Amino acid sequence: MTLDDLPTPCLVLDLGVLKRNLALMQAAVARFPGLTLRPHMKTAKSIEVARLAAPDFGPITVSTLAEARTFAEAGWRDQIYAVGITPAKLDAVAALNAAGAAVKVITDDVEAARAIAAHPGGLQALVEVDVGEARGGVAPDGGALPEIAAALGPRLAGVLSHSGHSYAGRSPAEMAAIAEAERLAITAAAARLREGGLAVPIVSLGSSPTAMHAARMDGVTEVRAGVYMFGDLFQGQIATHPLDDIAVTVLASVIGRRPDRNTLLLDAGALALSKDRSTQAAPRDWGFGRVLDAAGHPLPGEPMVARAYQEHGEVHAAAPLPFAALPVGARLRVVPNHSCLTAAAHDRYHVVEGDEQVIATWNRVNGW
């Protein structure tokens, strides 16, 4: 089967690019002996990808209970569910752990910590620490940190942070500086708790850019990263991976041609591509995605999806498009701005390896 045999729109995953990206991160983490890579499966949501990213059922990070359940049943026991837990979800996590998993949860709330401590099931939790993103987490030097840790008591598993604000960086040097600020903050939080007599076995930090470019990791036990596996047009512009090493694309068909306007219409719109506009803040804005030919090669004029409707993508280019080679029904591939959101619209990957031959189909774990 080839890409020409697939219905469109659909998601294509290049295995060779995926393997290169995995090797790049593994090499980055290997610079720090003793540091564990805990891949975040929120982007890939795939058992087959997990086999490559976390071989031998190594530790992973998940973002939904559906992921936690699926990966636990497939053999990945050591997990961190890295979204703030609610008391209503504790029974589900405890059930997974009773069946043999070791799913740890996170919290930045003292009442949630008390609920975790009081739950009859086998639960462990990390305190989420804010290291600059200002999303979730408590201040490393604030009073909430020891209060939450004390409320967890023996169920305290460690501290955790996420440097999503690293996405504002634009160079390896800037990423390294953000990574060092995160390291200093999370290790200071761990030191405070240890000084208070608490055990803090896990000191977990991460984002793909900071994991790739950190200069130091002393005091940190593990690093979490996820989008590096696939990459995307935004991550490629902030030095997470080479710009051409983006493993996922959306295969689309030409459904309309407007030579007088130098535009094409594709059957991949907002629902197939997402409406993420992260490259708007990057050095190069790719609209709703870069358009390549069916083999994944550039086209004249560097076309992009400039407008996205629910099921329509309108392609614009800076040079005349090759309309003679692009009749209605012709296949093109769209490179995503944000692979996490684009992939979330699809239920499977059609796997290729450097060409148009489909060698496998891998299912995704969608839903919550």
Side-chain angles (χ1 to χ4, degrees), residues 9-69:
C10 66
L11 198 59
V12 177
L13 172 60
D14 191 304
L15 182 58
V17 177
L18 169 64
K19 288 179 176 178
R20 287 199 298 274
N21 289 342
L22 294 177
L24 198 63
M25 181 60 75
Q26 289 160 358
V29 174
R31 294 176 298 150
F32 308 103
L35 183 66
T36 297
L37 173 61
R38 183 185 287 273
H40 204 319
M41 301 310 302
K42 71 183 181 71
T43 304
K45 295 178 182 276
S46 159
I47 288 174
E48 289 81 4
V49 175
R51 290 190 179 116
L52 298 171
D56 302 319
F57 303 107
I60 61 171
T61 314
V62 298
S63 63
T64 68
L65 286 175
E67 292 169 40
R69 185 178 304 108

Side-chain angles (χ1 to χ4, degrees), residues 168-195:
R170 291 293 179 268
S171 70
E174 289 178 304
M175 298 304 179
I178 296 168
E180 179 60 7
E182 180 181 22
R183 185 192 72 82
L184 290 172
I186 195 68
T187 55
R192 282 188 71 202
L193 298 182
R194 288 169 180 150
E195 288 166 3

Side-chain angles (χ1 to χ4, degrees), residues 125-152:
L126 297 93
V127 181
E128 185 177 11
V129 178
D130 179 15
V131 295
E133 186 179 17
R135 183 181 69 179
V138 297
D141 56 355
L145 174 68
E147 184 182 12
I148 294 169
L152 288 170

Side-chain angles (χ1 to χ4, degrees), residues 271-294:
L271 294 185
L273 304 174
S274 92
K275 274 203 167 183
D276 184 275
R277 291 284 289 110
S278 52
T279 59
Q280 192 171 23
R284 178 156 189 177
D285 186 358
W286 285 103
F288 296 96
R290 182 185 186 187
V291 179
L292 307 175
D293 70 13

Side-chain angles (χ1 to χ4, degrees), residues 154-166:
R155 293 192 167 179
L156 175 67
V159 290
L160 171 147
S161 63
H162 172 57
S163 53
H165 56 298
S166 64

Side-chain angles (χ1 to χ4, degrees), residues 83-280:
V83 175
I85 195 69
T86 66
K89 295 179 180 179
L90 294 176
D91 285 349
V93 176
L96 290 174
N97 292 346
V103 180
K104 291 161 281 295
V105 299
I106 71 170
T107 187
D108 63 359
D109 182 87
V110 68
E111 294 301 327
R114 289 172 182 149
I116 293 165
H119 196 280
L123 297 171
Q124 284 193 307
L126 297 93
V127 181
E128 185 177 11
V129 178
D130 179 15
V131 295
E133 186 179 17
R135 183 181 69 179
V138 297
D141 56 355
L145 174 68
E147 184 182 12
I148 294 169
L152 288 170
R155 293 192 167 179
L156 175 67
V159 290
L160 171 147
S161 63
H162 172 57
S163 53
H165 56 298
S166 64
Y167 288 12
R170 291 293 179 268
S171 70
E174 289 178 304
M175 298 304 179
I178 296 168
E180 179 60 7
E182 180 181 22
R183 185 192 72 82
L184 290 172
I186 195 68
T187 55
R192 282 188 71 202
L193 298 182
R194 288 169 180 150
E195 288 166 3
L198 297 172
V200 186
I202 299 174
V203 181
S204 180
L205 57 68
S207 71
S208 288
T210 55
M212 192 65 67
H213 298 295
R216 296 177 61 183
M217 283 290 185
D218 39 306
V220 177
T221 65
E222 64 176 44
V223 62
R224 306 178 326 282
V227 72
Y228 74 92
M229 300 179 197
F230 292 169
D232 53 41
L233 289 167
F234 181 77
Q235 294 294 325
Q237 294 190 73
I238 63 171
T240 299
H241 57 80
L243 188 55
D244 290 333
D245 274 353
I246 299 172
V248 290
T249 53
V250 174
L251 183 69
S253 295
V254 174
I255 59 170
R257 310 184 321 145
R258 301 292 183 270
D260 56 320
R261 301 203 303 259
N262 194 39
T263 65
L264 296 168
L265 281 179
L266 304 180
D267 63 355
L271 294 185
L273 304 174
S274 92
K275 274 203 167 183
D276 184 275
R277 291 284 289 110
S278 52
T279 59
Q280 192 171 23

